[in-house]
Amino acid sequence: MAAPKRVQIADDALSADSAYRLACAGTGLLWRGDFQNARQLLQALARRIDRPRKVKRKPAGTSEIADNVSPFHLHRQTQSQRARTLGMLLVQVEADRSIALRRAPDWSAALRQAWGEDGGQQTTARVVPLRELLGVVGAYEWRKNGIEIAALGAAPKNRIHPHYGVYSPVRGEYLDLIAAEPLPADPKLAFDIGCGTGVIAALLARRGIARVTATDVDARAIRCALDNLDRLGLREQVEVLQGDLFPPGRAPLVVCNPPWLPARAAVPIELAIYDEDSRMLRGFLEGLGAHLSERGEGWLILSDLAEHLQLRSRAELLGWIEAAGLVVLGQRHGVPHHPKVNDVSDPLHEARAKERTTLWRLGVAAAGA
């Protein structure tokens, strides 16, 4: 986020109500009190943001929500405002990654892992939202412990360790679809487009594909994928390249799990969820034919949540497939099982309850078809 235009010193004497009023007004609160009290204050701010609001009655014939604001965009606006308000509680981190506050934990290892090992070169302190620090520590724990992926086989060689800034494979249904779909005949090579943590490339290698080439535009994702492939003992089978979409050449199997929602990302990690103007999706479809071997298959794994949110229609997707000279060879569907599916308090619950994830098997249309 951009730095707040106004900052004032805050400590244990500041009440939660006063802090809330200041944060809502855009005033940064640079904490100089007890660290654990700062964590409690952050929780108090979150409770005030999340408490139900009284809705003022509108005159008859008017809508509570502007006609041009969809529930999805209203939800994003609300989440963005929530993040900005909570981001007003600031903590100073010293050049050596320490926090010079009473009862502050030693998070230096987590901060070095997320921000790099440049503590010796950095000579000044930095000011960071406490909420961001908690996110760094959460990512550190996820990376240390890893996430068990059933589709990769039996423990212990089935864990993926996401790095800070790389989206975690917390939804398993798309991996189950890839694991269950029969492979094209004798695929000795496969491409994984947008590899992230490397979980799809690892799964393809575990399914017996002799060589997998994985790509991603993000340097963090490249390092994360290489780390995970090392842990899983798959580096000899999988090559990881930094680049946009396709590697050079053709393959009998090309797999892509693009971001599912056509919207603008507010922060870099959201690029794993939001694909503005469906750029990656359309780029994959438009370039797939030129990177498939003869009778090869492209596997597009895509949720239909965008359709239920009225952000993209099924007709648009089918039109892009046809325009790219591709045909649908088959489909396999899966139902998400993440917690938000059953959370009736979620503003997008109605759409999430209908969501299905589909593995689209795509091939090149025959000439003259």
Side-chain angles (χ1 to χ4, degrees):
M1 298 188 305
K5 294 181 180 179
R6 300 179 302 279
V7 177
Q8 73 175 49
I9 300 299
D11 59 23
D12 305 316
L14 182 66
S15 71
D17 287 336
S18 296
Y20 180 61
R21 285 193 296 270
L22 289 166
C24 287
T27 298
L29 305 172
L30 181 55
W31 192 255
R32 295 300 194 204
D34 179 87
F35 183 87
Q36 299 305 325
N37 287 347
R39 295 186 69 168
Q40 292 179 15
L41 178 59
L42 187 66
Q43 294 170 0
L45 292 176
R47 288 194 297 271
R48 282 159 174 76
I49 294 171
D50 297 338
R51 65 191 175 195
R53 295 287 191 271
K54 292 182 179 179
V55 179
K56 294 182 179 179
R57 289 187 175 275
K58 298 286 185 178
T62 61
S63 172
E64 294 289 348
I65 300 173
D67 292 339
N68 62 341
V69 180
S70 70
F72 169 73
H73 289 104
L74 184 64
H75 174 64
R76 289 206 72 199
Q77 290 172 9
T78 301
Q79 293 298 95
S80 178
Q81 181 59 48
R82 184 182 192 276
R84 281 195 297 271
T85 302
L86 293 177
M88 290 296 120
L89 185 55
L90 309 172
V91 172
Q92 181 171 314
V93 178
E94 307 303 326
D96 63 357
R97 305 293 197 258
S98 65
I99 301 171
L101 295 175
R102 187 171 65 256
R103 291 203 297 167
D106 181 4
W107 286 347
S108 56
L111 297 175
R112 283 195 297 269
Q113 193 176 83
W115 296 344
E117 299 285 348
D118 63 346
Q121 290 76 36
Q122 183 185 332
T123 58
T124 58
R126 64 176 70 180
V127 172
V128 183
L130 175 57
R131 187 168 183 258
E132 182 178 331
L133 291 183
L134 294 173
V136 167
V137 174
Y140 178 76
E141 293 299 323
W142 278 55
R143 178 171 174 177
K144 182 172 64 176
N145 298 325
I147 302 167
E148 190 169 326
I149 305 294
L152 289 177
K157 287 292 187 177
N158 67 348
R159 286 187 173 273
I160 291 292
H161 298 258
H163 290 197
Y164 174 76
V166 182
Y167 196 73
S168 303
V170 292
R171 291 180 54 145
E173 82 276 2
Y174 73 97
L175 298 172
D176 294 337
L177 292 172
I178 295 171
E181 188 64 33
L183 295 171
D186 194 26
K188 295 182 172 60
L189 172 66
F191 294 162
D192 172 20
I193 309 302
C195 64
T197 61
V199 63
I200 290 178
L203 177 54
L204 295 172
R206 283 276 170 88
R207 292 200 61 188
I209 297 178
R211 190 72 183 164
V212 180
T213 301
T215 66
D216 205 292
V217 295
D218 183 61
R220 284 185 185 271
I222 297 296
R223 292 192 293 270
C224 179
L226 290 172
D227 176 37
N228 281 309
L229 293 165
D230 272 335
R231 292 172 184 266
L232 295 170
L234 297 172
R235 275 292 293 275
E236 294 300 316
Q237 282 178 258
V238 183
E239 178 185 22
V240 183
L241 303 175
Q242 185 170 3
D244 192 10
L245 294 175
F246 300 94
R250 296 174 179 264
L253 178 62
V254 181
V255 180
C256 183
N257 175 38
W260 293 345
L261 296 176
R264 180 178 298 177
V267 292
I269 196 170
E270 288 187 349
L271 292 170
I273 307 169
Y274 300 123
D275 181 18
E276 189 172 7
D277 298 324
S278 300
R279 188 200 69 85
M280 183 175 178
L281 171 58
R282 290 187 291 111
F284 171 74
L285 294 173
E286 291 164 4
L288 179 59
H291 291 87
L292 278 180
S293 303
E294 187 177 1
R295 292 187 295 276
E297 293 185 12
W299 288 2
L300 170 67
I301 301 93
L302 193 66
S303 160
D304 64 359
L305 182 59
E307 297 173 23
H308 298 302
L309 293 172
Q310 299 182 353
L311 301 175
R312 180 176 59 232
S313 69
R314 177 60 58 95
E316 279 184 289
L317 175 60
L318 294 175
W320 294 337
I321 291 173
E322 182 179 3
L326 304 171
V327 293
V328 178
L329 304 174
Q331 300 175 46
R332 182 183 293 271
H333 305 290
V335 178
H337 299 289
H338 57 85
K340 287 187 177 180
V341 172
N342 300 313
D343 183 3
V344 295
S345 66
D346 185 340
L348 305 181
H349 171 71
E350 184 177 347
R352 295 191 198 278
K354 300 174 184 175
E355 181 185 5
R356 287 199 308 175
T357 302
T358 299
L359 186 154
W360 298 76
R361 291 177 50 238
L362 305 174
V364 177

